[in-house]
Every structure is written in C-alpha cells, then in structure tokens.
Amino acid sequence: MRQISVDTSAATVMVAKAPQPKVKDRRTGEIAVDKDGVTLMTVEVMFSTPDEVEILKLTVPQPGVSEDLAMGTPVALTGLVASAWENEFNGQKRHGIAFRAVAVTSLAAAASKPKAA
C-alpha cells in the first residue's frame, strides 16, 4: 500500500478526542498491535489550514503519544502519512483514507514555558 507524506507545516493541529487504544475486533474487544507487538492508539485531531478544517483519526504507536493529551491541546504530528484503503464486507465495498503518525506531541508545555530574555 502506498503511503503519502502529509505536510503539516501550514496547519494548526489540536486534539479533538483523547487517545484511546485502537480496537482490532469490536466483537471481542481485541486491541490492535503493530508487527512488533506495540499497542496502537487512536487519536482524533482537528487539522486546520487557512482553507479548511477537518477532523482526522490517526493511528499512532503508544510510545509516540504524549501524556496529557486532552481535548483542545495543541500538538505536533511527526511522520504523518496517508494511505488509501478499500475492503468488502457483506457484499458492500468501502473505501477511505487512513492516517498514521509516528508521534503526537503536546505543544502545551512548550507554550507555557517563559521565554528567555
């Protein structure tokens, strides 16, 4: 599957929904892990550019998720990529774009530090 890097330099990004473990199977409640066995998290962010605002649902490895990511926290996204997906379930085709990041880092601590004179 081809991945396309997403430029975040002109965007303002804030947490829209606090991180949660990504569920692999809703029926069993099984939590998703990557190929190395690392737990995957889902983080919803508000991605705002001068032209539009979107809510993106990101998949991020748990070690890449900053602590204290509450709704409204400004964040930086490291290694954000988009991938097209398609599947068929019960004869219905579905498709979309999946977003994955290496890390979601809070900018709140950096913003609250006093600037050196």
Side-chain angles (χ1 to χ4, degrees), residues 13-19 43-46 69-75 104:
V13 185
M14 293 190 311
V15 174
K17 186 174 180 184
V43 183
E44 292 185 38
V45 298
M46 181 187 75
L69 290 184
M71 186 172 158
T73 304
V75 292
V104 177

Side-chain angles (χ1 to χ4, degrees), residues 47-61:
F47 191 90
S48 174
T49 64
D51 299 329
E52 63 184 307
V53 175
E54 290 188 60
I55 301 295
L56 303 180
K57 186 181 280 192
L58 311 176
T59 298
V60 185

Side-chain angles (χ1 to χ4, degrees), residues 1 3-8 22 40-45 47 54-61 77-85 96-102 104:
M1 182 179 342
Q3 294 182 335
I4 301 167
S5 295
V6 178
D7 179 12
T8 61
K22 181 173 181 157
L40 296 174
M41 302 294 287
T42 299
V43 183
E44 292 185 38
V45 298
F47 191 90
E54 290 188 60
I55 301 295
L56 303 180
K57 186 181 280 192
L58 311 176
T59 298
V60 185
L77 304 178
T78 304
L80 180 61
V81 295
S83 304
W85 61 268
I97 298 174
F99 293 93
R100 186 175 177 117
V102 173
V104 177

